Structures are given as C-alpha cells and as structure tokens.
Amino acid sequence: MTIAAIDANALTGPRFTALPPLALYVHVPWCVRKCPYCDFNSHELRGASAEAFPEDAYVDALIADLERALPSIWGRRITSVFIGGGTPSLFSADAIDRLLSALRARLPLVADAEVTLEANPGTFERERFAGYFAAGVNRLSLGVQSFDDRFLRALGRIHGADEARRAAESALMIFGNVNLDLMYALPGQRVEDAARDAGSALSFAPPHLSFYQLTLEPNTLFHRHPPPLPDDETAADIEDEVLAMLARAGYSHYETSAHAKPGAQCRHNVNYWRFGDYLGIGAGAHSKLSFPDRVVRELRWKQPRRYLEAVAEGRPVQHSADVTRDELPFEFMLNAMRLTEGVPASFFAERTGLPLSVIARPLAEATRKGLLEDDPARLRPTPLGRRFLNDLQELFLPDRKAGPHPAFPPPPGQAAPGSGKVRTDPAFSRDS
Ligand SMILES: C[S@@+](CC[C@H](N)C(=O)[O-])C[C@H]1O[C@@H](n2cnc3c(N)ncnc32)[C@H](O)[C@@H]1O
Ligand code: SF4
C-alpha cells in the first residue's frame, strides 16, 4: 500500500485497536395508555387478548432477534442489560424469566452485570416485582413522575400518588437498587409543589433519582394542545430548588438529569454517555456497534406488529448505516458532555476510532468560551458548559450544520430522557 493510500484510508473512517464496552437494550413497546407528553415508541394496549398483547410471541421474537444479531457481537461480553419501554412491567414475571434465561444462555454477561427493568406504578403488583427479582432483575426504575394526584392527573398518568408510594416502598424492599423518575415544570406547578414532590421522593431515600424537565415533544398530544406550563423563570427556580435539595441529601448530580448516591450511578446509561456500544433488540430499538474499521447504527421496525412480522421474515432491522467520520465527533461529544465529570481525553480515540486532533479546533474554541475545562487529560464541561450544554455540543457539529443521520433523528431515547432542551438519542439517551 502506498503512503497516499494509507493517508486516504486514515481520512475515510475510524480504526479501532480494541472495541468499546457493550451493553444490551431490550424494548417493550406497549403501555396501558399513551401519556399525552410521551414520544417514546409505546403503543396503547387494546385489550388483554394474545392478539392485542402477544407476550409469548414477543419474547420468542426477542430471542430470534438476538440470535440473528449474535454474529455482529461475537465474543464480546455484555456489561449491562436494560429492559425499557413502553412499560416492561406489563410483562409477567414468567415472561421476564424466560427472556433473561434465554439472554444468559446466548450471551456472556459479566459476573456482576446490572440488569434494570422499567416499571410503571400503574402496573404494580408486589408478587410480580418479587418475580422479576427472582428472574435476575437487580435494578428497578420506577416511573413515578410525581407524588401529587393533581399533577399525575394533569399528566394523564394511570396511577395515583398512593399507588406510586406503595410501588416505591415495595421496589426498595425487594430490589434495594432503585431509580425513581420524576418530572418537573409540570402544568400549573409552583416551586413549592415541586419541592414537596422532591421531598416525597427523598423520603424513600432511593439510591438513584432522575429529574426530567417536562418537554413538549412533536407528535404528542401536549404538543398539539399545550397545557399551561410554568414560565422559564419559574422552571429555572424549580430546578435550582430541586437540585439544592438533592445535593443536601447527598446525591451527586452526575449527569444532566441523573442523581445518585455514591456507587449507585446507572452503569447502563453511563455506558451510553461514554459512547460505549449497545445492541438494541425489540420494536424500534436503536443499536450502535463498533467494528475494527467502522461504527454502525441500526434501527429496528417500530410498529410491534410489523416488528413481529419482520423477525419472522428474518430481517428485524429497518435502517442500518455507518456513522461517518464527520458525525462521530459530534455524537461522542453530545453524550460525553452530559456527564458532570466528562470523560478521560483518551476515550475520544478509544470510542470514535479517530485521533483527538480531529476536534482540536472546536476544543480550543470551547475552552476559550469557558464551556470546557482547560485540562489536556479530561474532556469535562465547566459549570457554564453544563448550563449552556446545547451551545457546547453544537461546537462539534460537522460543518456546524449537519445533524445526525436522517434515519436516526435524536429521538425517543432508549434510556434516559435528557432534560428538555438537551435531549439526546440513546446514544442520544434517556435514563433511569
Ligand atoms: C420511557 S419512559 C418509561 C417509564 C414508564 N413507561 C413510565 O412512564 O412510568 C422513561 C421516563 O421518561 C420521562 N419522560 C417521558 N416523556 C417525557 C417528556 N416529554 N419530558 C420529560 N420527561 C419525559 C418520564 O419521566 C419517564 O419515566
Ligand atoms: S411515559 Fe411511560 S407509560 Fe406513558 S406512554 Fe410513555 S412509556 Fe408509556
């Protein structure tokens, strides 16, 4: 190979000497009722028949989907599993047991792998939670949203505050390792309402809390008919108050929307934010997989019925595309800058397969603007950079105009909703 050929190669794509850590995401695409603010790939159940809710067929499809995907992750260990939705807690403990047994039989999970399941208090049954734990789920993420009936009604939730409290109590008793999702800046919410909600959440002392600012997402009922949300100043006051309460209670604000007691960060979501790899199986699941000379994104068919057919036809993936050399730096920074501590500078080359020098110019600009710490060993946002996260992330856009690939809009996350204005995809993700 000539020198010119080597240089051209170096300009065309990433090169990995070792692949990033790999996590597994499993999507469950049904909910009892569609919440008016939700843009996740979740479909309202229309009855409990096997036709409306094909639990067994779906678990079979997930297993078949995984088997087809195995060659692309051959020999790699799985660091965490996240069963998200939708509402995975619609599934019986037997179905989750069958699913996890099948995963374990086909994938090398690390010994202490974190296995999270997302639950909605409206589907809470103590025995079912105990069954999930017995099946191997070791972390529960509970979508409480609020402990106040007024706001739960305004959000169109299927559960009330009492049910949320009972579910939180049982979750903590059974799993110990629990996240509570709460939202703030809710219709008509005042600072004192949000503080009361945060106080209720803190009274359970969960190891992990996610606080998301309610955002009006396109293609939702709230977007078409916006409720009366607090103005920007009130929303900022709510955020200040809630963050101060969490800090006083000993939670570290380690990511835009995530707060954890020491040692309780969500390992699965931290892998997204550190630009690790993930295989996503199930309807509408996203994947990001690295190979020695490329990074591939995949999107599976979104409609549950279409997904089941597609798996039966042996092609569950609807879109697949290489992440280009131009897109990689932005996608990396989009995620890494959500982390309060940022990432070691060496992660850039390790996770994008490109030399750090490709972002030398925007790095210098971000530092000059006071958005990024001036530390050659770490890529870490300053407090100003965290506050104006969009501005910091945008500096890394290819040509400052192109966004991510059109087939992969920065959409419903698989894990953690970012706080409103800075939401990202699964890679661009949403926790719990
Ligand atoms: C995928 S949902 C799954 C949780 C479960 N289905 C539930 O709702 O109880 C994960 C979390 O995203 C958050 N979320 C969903 N839509 C949001 C929005 N428009 N703005 C802010 N947070 C949102 C909620 O806190 C929710 O618990
Ligand atoms: S917020 Fe949760 S329960 Fe509501 S529709 Fe979305 S995924 Fe389903």
Side-chain angles (χ1 to χ4, degrees), residues 87-107:
T87 304
S89 53
L90 281 170
F91 272 35
S92 65
D94 283 349
I96 297 298
D97 185 40
R98 190 157 76 84
L99 173 65
L100 288 178
S101 305
L103 300 184
R104 270 190 232 101
R106 289 161 181 78
L107 292 172

Side-chain angles (χ1 to χ4, degrees), residues 241-279:
E241 177 64 24
V242 168
L243 295 190
M245 289 175 72
L246 294 175
R248 280 197 300 274
Y251 289 80
S252 84
H253 185 186
Y254 71 99
E255 185 270 345
T256 311
S257 309
H259 306 257
K261 286 279 181 71
Q265 297 188 354
C266 176
R267 288 189 239 155
H268 184 84
N269 287 322
V270 167
N271 182 55
Y272 289 146
W273 297 317
R274 290 182 177 161
F275 211 52
D277 277 1
Y278 48 94
L279 170 66

Side-chain angles (χ1 to χ4, degrees), residues 61-80:
L62 289 170
I63 297 168
D65 189 352
L66 173 66
E67 283 183 345
R68 269 201 90 75
L70 285 178
S72 56
I73 55 165
W74 215 242
R76 297 177 68 182
R77 291 191 315 158
I78 302 289
T79 52
S80 59

